Amino acid sequence: MSDHWLDRAWLLPVLLTLLLACFAFGSSIDVGLYMDFANYYDAGNKIRHGEIANLYNPYALINGRPAQSTMDFVAVPISAYFYVPLAMLAPPTALLVFKWQNTAAYLAGLLILFFHCRKFAGAGPPDQSRFATLFTILALIFQPFWFTYRVGGQVTPTVFLCFIAALLCHLSGRYFLSALLMIFIILIKPGFAIG
């Protein structure tokens, strides 16, 4: 019988419950309405109202009204079209929808990453159980996940999911699809063009 702390039978269910509770709480709080979320909401609204010329002017009125925020939009113009569906909703509703999308992207990315990486953990049930427990702990303490909810949502979860998908495509020899995913990432986060 093992006495490793990762082998406690109750630990993984408790950690998974805590992880899911954190994601549920983060995606249901209405914090960040005037922070990062507002940047994407304003960009979508500018496109929606045919004001693409003002995309990089954070102080421009949008359809005659003040912008949700005065943050600079830092992405290529075509990416602003991705945020038009958000702009069709009232800001509080759009905030929650954006956070739900962030949660879905994080959970999908974590699940895909977990199944990809578990083959490196060892074949035996104790090794797999320890890996699952450690993976869940690392997800729980990874601060960028939780910062996303504080600022109203970000495109980081989508980039996270796309990076994982691009990696798996690249590893399986599907280079064209991997390149398309990288192009999408660069459209919404131009800083990744270096990659």
Side-chain angles (χ1 to χ4, degrees):
M1 182 167 178
S2 174
D3 61 354
H4 196 281
W5 67 273
L6 287 173
D7 291 333
R8 306 289 189 270
W10 55 268
L11 187 56
L12 182 58
V14 167
L15 290 170
L16 282 172
T17 301
L18 184 57
L19 181 67
L20 293 175
C22 287
F23 277 121
F25 177 75
S27 60
S28 65
I29 58 172
D30 61 351
V31 174
L33 194 60
Y34 301 101
M35 299 175 83
D36 285 17
F37 158 78
N39 193 11
Y40 307 115
Y41 188 80
D42 288 343
N45 250 330
K46 287 175 182 177
I47 298 299
R48 181 176 168 225
H49 294 292
E51 299 173 6
I52 194 166
N54 292 329
L55 188 60
Y56 295 105
N57 179 358
Y59 301 101
L61 295 177
I62 304 171
N63 198 31
R65 297 188 185 122
Q68 191 79 4
S69 132
T70 55
M71 295 176 69
D72 289 325
F73 183 69
V74 184
V76 298
I78 197 170
S79 69
Y81 286 89
F82 300 143
Y83 312 117
V84 171
L86 277 181
M88 297 172 89
L89 303 169
T93 303
L95 174 77
L96 291 177
V97 168
F98 194 42
K99 287 185 176 186
W100 295 336
Q101 182 276 333
N102 286 184
T103 299
Y106 273 145
L107 290 174
L110 284 170
L111 197 60
I112 294 166
L113 191 60
F114 172 78
F115 284 112
H116 173 70
C117 292
R118 68 186 257 181
K119 63 187 170 195
F120 305 114
D127 294 324
Q128 290 294 309
S129 178
R130 287 179 187 167
F131 172 73
T133 302
L134 192 55
F135 186 92
T136 306
I137 290 170
L138 293 174
L140 266 168
I141 64 172
F142 190 61
Q143 186 272 340
F145 288 164
W146 315 121
F147 180 75
T148 296
Y149 297 112
R150 176 70 187 94
V151 295
Q154 297 179 315
V155 293
T156 303
T158 303
V159 168
F160 172 72
L161 177 59
C162 289
F163 262 131
I164 292 167
L167 170 68
L168 297 182
C169 288
H170 189 78
L171 292 174
S172 64
R174 291 179 281 176
Y175 303 119
F176 181 73
L177 187 53
S178 178
L180 284 179
L181 286 163
M182 286 302 295
I183 289 168
F184 176 74
I185 290 167
I186 293 165
L187 287 176
I188 58 176
K189 286 256 190 193
F192 288 109
I194 295 167

